[in-house]
Amino acid sequence: MDRVDTLLNPQRQIFSVVGNIAKNPSLFLKDDNKITSNDFVTDFHKMLFNAMRNIIIGNTSVDDITPVTIDNFLKPYPRYYDIWTQNDGVTYLEDARDYAQESMYDHDYDIVKKYSLLRQYKDNGVDVRDIYNYDGDANEITNSASKIDEMSINDILEHYTSKVIDIRNDVNADGGEIVKFSISDDIDDLFTKLSESPDMGFPFVNAYYNGLFKGMRPGKYLLRSGDTGTGKTRQDIIDMCNVACDEKYEIGRGWVRQSANYDILFISTELNKQELQVLTLAYLTGMTSSEIESGEYTEEGRQRLQHGVEVIKRSRMHFVYVSDFSMNDIQLLIEEHVMKYDVQYVVFDYIQNSPKLSRTIKESYGGRDIREDEIVQTFSRKLKELAEKYQLFIISSTQLNGKAKDESVFVSKDANVLRGGRATADKIDYGVLTFRATPADWKQLEGAMASVPGFGDKRPNFAHWVYKNRAGLDHVVVWTQMDLGSMREVPLFVTDYNYEITHDVPMVYGEIVDEEDVKESEEEDDF
């Protein structure tokens, strides 16, 4: 073992961790315990930890591990028993048990993990001396140890992640690309391309969205915001299931095959795994989330849910839950999934301030105080940069501010109601605000509803107010009937902000493949 590994080997804290686990093996079974034999340097510590681990896993009810327990366990393994005896393991474990204080376990566990992380960086060629100066004198090494004690594991990860991203950004020189060209350059090729293959992305479920935005096109960024309870996350689940799943249940038709499925990434900052799974099942099966959670469904419902589970299993959906994050964290998550899974569609749900985001952005601004609106704006711009860089379609959302209650729709349904203010929408391609339809809306819509043939008594309960659209028409409203429980939506009609019907937005449907079509296609492929 070289001098560096000796210094990056916190003997006292290892002594404490080993002694505490021996006295109370349940500490090893804690959900947040991530300690492994790789967190130790010497063969003795690795062997001792693995012996305790195997004893605990073999009998999870064991409540005490004594030196005799270890001695008896190791005797059948001559190689490991030699290491045990040569290091006077009996005395070591007795002393560790006497030394251990459970009140110090979490602290000492963190120290062991932090030094293990530094060793991993060092072994992979990263110079860690800016945190732990192992070449320094006694005072510098003491100061380094104090610095590590004050830092969290995430602080260390963020420190080196930021360095790597800063270097890469410097090399890429992402200060803005300058391309000089004549407006006539390649114009014939563009005309031919658009004639043969119109510029359309994968379709949204809402056919009016396709008419407005031309589908989910690469490099584009949709900010779909709203107050609590307006179904922001559910709308994102709907669109991502449509992209990533090959079947969904249609009332009156049964299970219907969909034309294609692609890898998607859904980053959640609020809903955990089970909550997201329930919402995904609700959309795929057409059952309400409350039905699924209560277990109160028929045999037909159970079978439908089981089929939905199988659809999810073969889907290409990648979910990540993060409770606290920085821009670097989200950038690395997106880049990881682009590189590993060729992800083309990303949801970040939703843009908000967090302690880590605030701290890291403040550091990037030289330590000056940063307002919440500046933080939200900065993060939103980063999502657009990532969309363009990797040719992704990204959806995100924000909460709204007090202006959303203004009586004028040109105030309450525009970019200035976004949490973070109007500047949050500077770099977005499409901006949508989702609101519940109110009695005041219904009164304003009386003339519009009367003018729609066959409209009958279909009264909208939700509205998508499109305040920005780089693909075409904006300041229009898509009125819909939406069931947030089963996550089914029926688009009804489109008006302008004055509640007047507009026929300038077509309904553009995505391709659906029926079972019979799939069967016939498969039979043809056999010949």
Side-chain angles (χ1 to χ4, degrees), residues 22 71 85 93 111 123 138 171 189 213 244 247 313 324 338 355 442 447 464:
D71 197 84
T85 55
L93 191 54
I111 294 291
D123 291 343
V171 173
D189 292 340
F213 308 138
E247 278 187 286
K313 286 180 179 178
D324 195 13
V338 167
W442 297 328
H464 304 291

Side-chain angles (χ1 to χ4, degrees), residues 40-41 47 89 213 225 257 309 430 469 500:
F40 303 99
V41 177
M47 178 276 301
F213 308 138
S225 304
R257 292 293 296 271
V309 168
Y430 319 122
N469 180 15
E500 297 293 333

Side-chain angles (χ1 to χ4, degrees), residues 386-402:
L386 292 170
E388 290 187 336
K389 182 174 183 178
Y390 295 107
Q391 287 298 285
L392 308 171
F393 184 81
I394 295 182
I395 303 176
S396 192
S397 59
T398 66
Q399 293 279 17
L400 306 183
N401 60 36

Side-chain angles (χ1 to χ4, degrees), residues 16 20 23-24 26-27 100-106:
S16 166
N20 269 300
K23 287 170 64 176
N24 184 4
S26 64
L27 293 171
Q101 298 179 46
E102 189 170 333
S103 61
M104 291 298 295
Y105 177 77
D106 289 339

Side-chain angles (χ1 to χ4, degrees), residues 8-22:
L8 293 175
N9 184 32
Q11 298 271 5
R12 285 288 181 186
Q13 286 76 22
I14 291 172
F15 202 48
S16 166
V17 167
V18 167
N20 269 300
I21 291 176

Side-chain angles (χ1 to χ4, degrees), residues 409-480:
V409 296
F410 291 94
V411 175
S412 61
K413 308 299 191 294
D414 217 326
N416 53 285
V417 305
L418 299 176
R419 181 74 57 86
R422 178 176 292 276
T424 303
D426 281 351
K427 297 295 184 181
I428 69 174
D429 297 289
Y430 319 122
V432 178
L433 302 171
T434 299
F435 283 84
R436 291 180 182 271
T438 66
D441 291 324
W442 297 328
K443 184 172 181 60
Q444 293 274 16
L445 286 170
E446 285 178 355
M449 288 190 290
S451 70
V452 179
F455 186 75
D457 60 352
K458 293 181 180 178
R459 189 166 67 174
N461 62 346
F462 277 89
H464 304 291
W465 299 74
V466 181
Y467 61 87
K468 184 172 184 178
N469 180 15
R470 285 182 171 164
L473 198 63
D474 59 25
H475 285 80
V476 294
V477 191
V478 179
W479 299 91
T480 74

Side-chain angles (χ1 to χ4, degrees), residues 135-158:
D135 285 337
D137 58 26
N139 284 334
E140 289 175 301
I141 290 174
T142 299
N143 291 336
S144 295
S146 298
K147 186 175 184 179
I148 291 172
D149 202 32
E150 293 171 358
M151 297 178 77
S152 69
I153 291 174
N154 282 335
D155 288 337
I156 296 173
L157 287 167
E158 186 68 30

Side-chain angles (χ1 to χ4, degrees), residues 264-273 276 317-325 329-330 332-334 336-337 341 343 346-350:
I264 66 96
L265 170 62
F266 195 109
I267 304 173
S268 171
T269 61
E270 288 197 322
L271 301 186
N272 61 31
K273 180 174 72 173
L276 291 167
M317 307 178 80
H318 309 278
F319 285 85
V320 178
Y321 169 72
V322 289
S323 59
D324 195 13
F325 56 88
D329 291 334
I330 304 308
L332 287 174
L333 275 174
I334 291 173
E336 173 194 350
H337 285 79
Y341 307 108
V343 159
V346 176
V347 167
F348 179 78
D349 179 43
Y350 64 94

